Amino acid sequence: MNSKSRARGLQRLGAGQGPLYDAVIIGGGIVGAGVARELALRGLKIVLFEKGDFASATSSKSSKLIHGGLRYLEMYDFGLVFEALAERHWLIKTHPHLVLPLEFVLPLYEREDSPSPAARPGWMLQMGLWLYDGLALFRTPFFHKKLTAARMKEKFPGLRMKGLEGGLAYADAMMMDDEMVLECLADAHLHGAESYNYARVEKVALVPEPRSPREFLITVKENLPPQATAHRATSGEAFTVRTKEVITCVGPWTDRMGDVFQGGSGMVMKPSRGIHLLIPWKRFPIDGCLVMFAPDKRIIFVIPRKDFGAGAEMVIVGTTDAPERGDLDEVHAHGAEVQYLLANLASFFPDAKLTEKDIVSTYAGVRPLLDEGASNEAKTSREHEIWHNSDGVVFVAGGKYTTFRPMSAEIADFAFPGTKPGDSKQPLSKPEEYKARGQGGKPLWGRFTEEDVRWALSNQVPLTLEDVVFRRTPLWTQGPGLERRILERVADLCAAALGWDSARRGAEIKATEAKLAMGMQWRARGD
């Protein structure tokens, strides 16, 4: 699907030529994409609407890990960990182009010299790792093992050596979260699903009885960003879509859509903000993901991302857990949270001497947690819930990125009981086809080429420069320091593919630079 096929599809729906859909899915993150794919595999007629770009909210703001959730063992969420480890195995085995095994390391210190009073004793960690490998049915890239203090020093330059006894290494994996959403939507499209970004659902109304079977009328309006609408002669008119079922996958926004649903959502959310720091790998050259126990018992990951290619390597540090009560569309890192992460880095890596000046950008997202009365966000379960509101609209919230596939199947069973599941264990895309996308293109940045951008423009429906910089490539990880020549070249490629004039091209560059700058605004805000 590309911008032209998207426009034709919206024109058809606007002319009232759409079918009676089996389901309208609201929300284009990983859950919505997974449900669209699952229902399409079951042979149902599906359309998905996302108010912004696909994966533009929570689903592109994670730690970008595929993992079983070692810390959930302490919460006795054995079922969740077992399911997540099974999905980790499936993703690593069938998607070597999307999910890469990564070594995670737990440092072991003498008790009196530990950088954190919350550090777990070695015997407890070893027991946990045996259980972790066991719950994975020992289907793991490698079994957990012990590392010497000397080996820890080699792998993690600047690590605190006083009292260091060694470390415990175990396997999990990393991915690009937004890319997973796009691959999932592409596979859903191959099986007949429709999906539209920048299409806001404004009203969901149950058609009054005695119509049978039940039917909903969905009011939708195109929701392009300002730099796009300023250069259009007309704005999109609202149109109506008919459907038998509505499935709402909007995560943290679930209980903030009162104007859309007549029957409300029927559940209360507890949005939790998590932020991450981005530090150049050449400044912080670690070999493996270090797992740090913060004094408040949170776990903080230090994740090397060398898969971006030479010259583009980054380290991601995160995350935090804090209640988010503001505008969920304007979530940002707070200065206090940045200092919290830096303080923990200083405890574990005193010789690295990392400061604010080493941070090239930050990003922040909101987890879709349900309010279950837990004392804080870190203790809130990551299990998901599925329910109907009073009008029969299906809602889903909570869950883990790693388990999107079985969660999608469960949602499909809930909304359409009795339908026969499709083969959702088939891969989202094939490694050889993925590898061919950027071949032959002029190098652009890291391992990415101009051909990667052209392919995205032709197949992944980006409509703005920001879509390409933030979600079709990881160029955004350079923050405000992204080279202007690279931004200009990507803008040229977008203009050629999307038909922008010079005014639109300039507006897109300006808007993208403003978005890149937001990753460092915590310095000026002082919050």
Side-chain angles (χ1 to χ4, degrees), residues 189-207:
H189 187 259
L190 287 175
H191 290 89
E194 298 175 53
S195 56
Y196 298 96
N197 53 351
Y198 294 105
R200 180 193 295 273
V201 172
E202 298 197 328
K203 201 73 177 176
V204 175
L206 181 63
V207 175

Side-chain angles (χ1 to χ4, degrees), residues 46-309:
I46 306 302
V47 62
L48 178 150
F49 297 111
E50 162 59 45
K51 71 174 182 177
D53 187 26
F54 301 127
S56 57
T58 298
S59 291
S60 59
K61 306 298 193 303
S62 74
S63 296
K64 309 183 191 304
L65 299 175
I66 292 295
H67 63 126
L70 182 64
R71 77 180 183 89
Y72 303 138
L73 294 178
E74 291 187 314
M75 302 177 185
Y76 305 108
D77 279 342
F78 301 126
L80 176 63
V81 176
F82 179 80
E83 183 179 61
L85 288 170
E87 290 306 295
R88 184 193 70 181
H89 173 69
W90 170 68
L91 286 163
I92 291 175
K93 182 179 179 181
T94 57
H95 299 80
H97 54 304
L98 301 178
V99 180
L100 304 177
L102 179 64
E103 185 178 70
F104 286 62
V105 179
L106 295 156
L108 299 177
Y109 286 90
E110 295 176 3
R111 191 68 183 172
E112 61 273 14
D113 289 319
S114 174
S116 170
R120 281 56 162 179
W123 64 266
M124 180 183 293
L125 295 175
Q126 290 198 64
M127 286 183 61
L129 290 177
W130 275 114
L131 180 57
Y132 201 58
D133 285 347
L135 288 171
L137 303 180
F138 299 100
R139 298 175 302 180
T140 179
F142 58 85
F143 299 124
H144 74 272
K145 57 188 177 182
K146 297 188 75 171
L147 301 177
T148 65
R151 181 64 179 136
M152 291 287 288
K153 184 177 181 180
E154 292 175 1
K155 291 176 68 67
F156 300 102
L159 183 66
R160 176 188 174 103
M161 297 305 295
K162 184 180 180 182
L164 182 66
E165 297 178 325
L168 292 170
Y170 66 98
D172 265 322
M174 62 183 178
M175 50 91 182
M176 287 196 283
D177 44 13
D178 40 21
E179 182 176 55
M180 191 71 73
V181 174
L182 293 166
E183 296 295 302
C184 196
L185 285 172
D187 194 53
H189 187 259
L190 287 175
H191 290 89
E194 298 175 53
S195 56
Y196 298 96
N197 53 351
Y198 294 105
R200 180 193 295 273
V201 172
E202 298 197 328
K203 201 73 177 176
V204 175
L206 181 63
V207 175
E209 298 292 350
R211 185 181 293 272
S212 182
R214 182 181 59 191
E215 186 177 311
F216 293 91
L217 294 180
I218 314 297
T219 303
V220 184
K221 188 173 183 180
E222 196 169 31
N223 186 47
L224 293 170
Q227 71 270 21
T229 56
H231 296 85
R232 292 182 60 172
T234 59
S235 59
E237 297 296 325
F239 57 88
T240 302
V241 171
R242 298 163 53 237
T243 183
K244 299 175 187 177
E245 297 287 347
V246 181
I247 303 176
T248 308
C249 307
V250 296
W253 284 262
T254 296
D255 59 357
R256 300 194 181 193
M257 298 181 68
D259 294 337
V260 175
F261 302 101
Q262 294 175 336
S265 70
M267 197 73 79
V268 177
M269 301 300 296
K270 189 177 185 179
S272 167
R273 183 179 63 252
I275 79 153
H276 295 80
L277 314 180
L278 291 161
I279 300 172
W281 182 84
K282 64 182 179 182
R283 173 65 181 87
F284 193 21
I286 57 174
D287 180 20
C289 174
L290 193 80
V291 184
M292 305 188 302
F293 288 99
D296 59 3
K297 299 184 179 181
R298 276 205 52 76
I299 288 179
I300 299 171
F301 296 113
V302 183
I303 310 159
R305 294 304 303 249
K306 295 190 284 184
D307 55 308
F308 295 161

Side-chain angles (χ1 to χ4, degrees), residues 443-492:
L444 180 67
W445 172 84
R447 66 174 173 85
F448 297 89
T449 71
E450 293 184 359
E451 195 59 34
D452 283 307
V453 175
R454 291 191 185 93
W455 190 93
L457 287 162
S458 298
N459 296 276
Q460 294 180 326
V461 213
L463 300 181
T464 71
L465 179 59
E466 179 190 326
D467 295 343
V468 176
V469 169
F470 278 82
R471 287 170 292 278
R472 305 312 186 275
T473 67
L475 286 167
W476 63 274
T477 58
Q478 303 300 296
L482 176 63
E483 291 184 50
R484 177 69 183 223
R485 65 171 183 84
I486 297 175
L487 192 60
E488 293 270 1
R489 183 54 187 147
V490 176
D492 288 341

Side-chain angles (χ1 to χ4, degrees), residues 418-441:
T419 54
K420 184 179 179 180
D423 182 13
S424 65
K425 282 198 171 182
Q426 61 181 300
L428 304 177
S429 55
K430 298 178 180 179
E432 60 274 15
E433 294 175 356
Y434 180 89
K435 185 178 180 181
R437 294 176 187 176
Q439 287 185 347

